[in-house]
Amino acid sequence: MSAQRADGIRSVDTHPVDEKLPALKMATTGLQHVAAMYAGVVAPPLIVGAAIGLSGTELTFLTGACLFTAGLATFLQTLGIWKIGARLPFVNGVTFAGVAPMTAIVASTDDKSDALPIIFGAVIVAGLLGFLAAPFFSKAVRFFPPVVTGTVITLIGVSLLPVAFGWAQGPNPGADDYGSTTYLGLAGATLAIVLVLRRFTRGFVKQIAVLLGLVIGTLVAIPFGVTDFSPVGDADVIGFPTPFHFGAPQFQVAAIVSMIVVMVVSMTESTADMLALGEIVDRPADEKTIAAGLRADTLGSAISPLFNGFMCSAFAQNIGLVAMTKIRSRYVVATGGAFLVLMGLCPMAASLIAVVPRPVLGGAGVVLFGSVAASGIQTLVRAGLDKDNNVLIVAVSLAVGIIPITAPEFYHAFPETAKIVLDSGISTGCVAAVLLNLVFNHLGRQRDAQDVTHPMEAGEEIAAAH
């Protein structure tokens, strides 16, 4: 930070965000950030890869690619170039918001070999459009108050919980032992391990409770014959995510629209994360910082498909880690990004996650995905739900977003292209929340100052003028 001397000359000290720690501390704290977000990075490629039916080798490749691109996106966000990068201690990785729309794209694609190229094409377009829109989006953030972001984040968690329940029942829905007591028991044991670690451990061990749960659960599963170590044996020690390994990107309008919606959701989440992290590290995120941070998110997303990765955004769980450890250096997080890149370049390391049995993943997924939903609920608590308008926005948006989960055939009469968007509860719920917020909190009415419950809430300017 800078301080004013008596002679009027400013002496400049290094702000904690720009501090470079000793090498050993930089490495260990960087690894801690990787441990806190590792399970979140590998879950989306596992979900999408399983929906496509990728082999163990291909699934390992896709997972490694997502680790590699997460590292690149983290570099962009923490170190920055030109007007790109918030230069805050942000870890970037594959966003959960894109999982449901991507699985919807997979389900609507007849030839599954085309699914990933279609997803990659849609992510590229959405990323480039998001990059161009970043400076304008940073000005329009008031249209995405907590009542909108909280609803969307809640829907992300709720939409992904069925995936965890499916994993818990076993790897093959058509098998006779699908949903057997063995599989469900392994899922329950893994869930219990994670909960015990979270309850009775502290510090670093508590932060990596999910990762430890996966490791212990996998070891417990070995005597039951459901752990397959062949992906590790088939993986190379050193590799590189070959550009467009799964084919050249394809561009389909419906898929692009779906991923643009996800990009809006991702930019909204990242903006909220930047505002929160700016306060934690004592470097408040202004409009310029938000625009630069959004450019990093969107450019990282546009580049990611080149190396077979998905859309990237900031990881909120790492913000909690910064707050807990009080280590605010962006170079620590950049070191974590370097570890992610190295892991992406070592297929054998990436293949370890493919060894984890699906029921074990299911048990950990209950905590992982449920935590996302809980995070959304925490945001909604700040949204002012004592106001009838906000209650209606949340109620209707959640209902619309849950339709694809509770009634999968609800939109069966619609064209396949429309169903790509409609079958994603996150996309439809987000659109509903934004539109309802505009109708109830912006169009045709002025609200009193006491109605404004959050600095990001819609109508702040009107209230101030009042």
Side-chain angles (χ1 to χ4, degrees):
M1 290 180 288
S2 58
Q4 190 79 25
R5 292 191 344 204
D7 56 8
I9 300 175
R10 298 181 69 84
S11 61
V12 180
D13 299 324
T14 301
H15 191 284
V17 169
D18 300 316
E19 184 181 4
K20 295 181 180 179
L21 306 180
L24 180 59
K25 190 171 185 180
M26 192 92 78
T28 54
T29 50
L31 275 174
Q32 186 170 241
H33 274 284
V34 174
M37 53 87 76
Y38 183 86
V41 172
V42 301
L46 282 173
I47 298 171
V48 176
I52 296 172
L54 295 180
S55 65
T57 302
E58 294 293 337
L59 192 59
T60 296
F61 182 92
L62 186 63
T63 303
C66 287
L67 290 168
F68 180 78
T69 54
L72 296 182
T74 299
F75 285 152
L76 275 177
Q77 194 66 271
T78 55
L79 303 180
I81 54 172
W82 185 56
K83 296 181 179 180
I84 301 169
R87 292 170 175 81
L88 291 172
F90 263 127
V91 174
N92 273 44
V94 182
T95 174
F96 274 110
V99 173
M102 287 191 292
T103 53
I105 292 172
V106 172
S108 65
T109 305
D110 294 330
D111 186 352
K112 300 305 179 187
S113 63
D114 289 333
L116 283 174
I118 291 172
I119 290 172
F120 292 152
V123 172
I124 290 172
V125 174
L128 292 176
L129 290 177
F131 183 84
L132 296 175
F136 306 102
F137 192 91
S138 64
K139 299 178 186 295
V141 68
R142 69 189 186 89
F143 293 103
F144 296 88
V147 70
V148 174
T149 56
T151 299
V152 174
I153 296 171
T154 302
L155 281 172
I156 292 172
V158 171
S159 296
L160 291 175
L161 278 172
V163 174
F165 301 149
W167 282 348
Q169 296 179 79
N172 184 6
D176 293 335
D177 61 351
Y178 186 70
S180 67
T181 54
T182 299
Y183 287 148
L184 296 181
L186 287 172
T190 303
L191 174 59
I193 291 168
V194 174
L195 293 177
V196 168
L197 289 172
R198 289 290 297 178
R199 174 63 181 84
F200 296 106
T201 61
R202 315 178 79 183
F204 182 62
V205 175
K206 186 174 183 178
Q207 284 293 323
I208 62 171
V210 172
L211 188 60
L212 290 176
L214 292 175
V215 173
I216 298 172
T218 300
L219 295 176
V220 171
I222 292 176
F224 296 94
V226 296
T227 305
D228 180 13
F229 289 96
S230 60
V232 178
D234 297 336
D236 297 326
V237 177
I238 299 175
F240 184 80
T242 312
F244 300 131
H245 174 81
F246 295 98
Q250 300 179 26
F251 303 95
Q252 291 190 2
V253 175
I256 290 172
V257 170
S258 179
M259 296 314 294
I260 287 175
V261 172
V262 175
M263 179 57 73
V264 172
V265 174
S266 176
M267 293 171 74
T268 302
E269 291 180 38
S270 290
T271 299
D273 289 341
M274 276 183 270
L275 292 169
L277 185 60
E279 294 297 325
I280 290 172
V281 302
D282 194 29
R283 182 179 278 181
D286 55 15
E287 185 178 304
K288 181 180 178 181
T289 301
I290 292 173
L294 292 178
R295 288 192 188 99
D297 273 0
T298 53
L299 182 60
S301 295
I303 294 174
S304 186
L306 173 64
F307 300 103
N308 312 284
F310 298 138
M311 187 178 293
C312 297
S313 71
F315 268 48
Q317 56 263 49
N318 291 85
I319 297 175
L321 190 57
V322 172
M324 183 190 72
T325 62
K326 308 298 183 185
I327 297 175
R328 298 179 276 177
S329 171
R330 60 191 173 102
Y331 295 104
V332 164
V333 176
T335 303
F339 282 119
L340 289 171
V341 169
L342 290 175
M343 292 171 71
L345 295 176
C346 180
M348 184 172 288
S351 70
L352 292 175
I353 195 64
V355 172
V356 181
R358 291 292 171 83
V360 173
L361 281 172
V366 170
V367 177
L368 190 63
F369 304 152
S371 296
V372 176
S375 177
I377 294 171
Q378 288 176 330
T379 304
L380 286 174
V381 169
R382 305 198 314 266
L385 294 185
D386 54 321
K387 298 173 176 59
D388 291 340
N389 285 351
N390 287 347
V391 170
L392 285 173
I393 293 169
V394 174
V396 175
S397 300
L398 285 178
V400 171
I402 291 174
I403 286 175
I405 302 173
T406 57
E409 299 301 319
F410 190 82
Y411 299 112
H412 74 277
F414 285 74
E416 290 298 321
T417 52
K419 286 167 65 177
I420 291 179
V421 176
L422 296 174
D423 283 343
S424 166
I426 298 170
S427 299
T428 54
C430 176
V431 171
V434 171
L435 292 179
L436 287 172
N437 180 59
L438 287 173
V439 171
F440 281 96
N441 291 332
H442 284 272
L443 301 180
R445 69 186 299 249
Q446 293 186 344
R447 298 182 302 156
D448 294 330
Q450 63 265 28
D451 287 339
V452 180
T453 60
H454 191 276
M456 287 175 59
E457 186 170 359
E460 182 178 17
E461 291 81 355
I462 293 175
H466 219 51

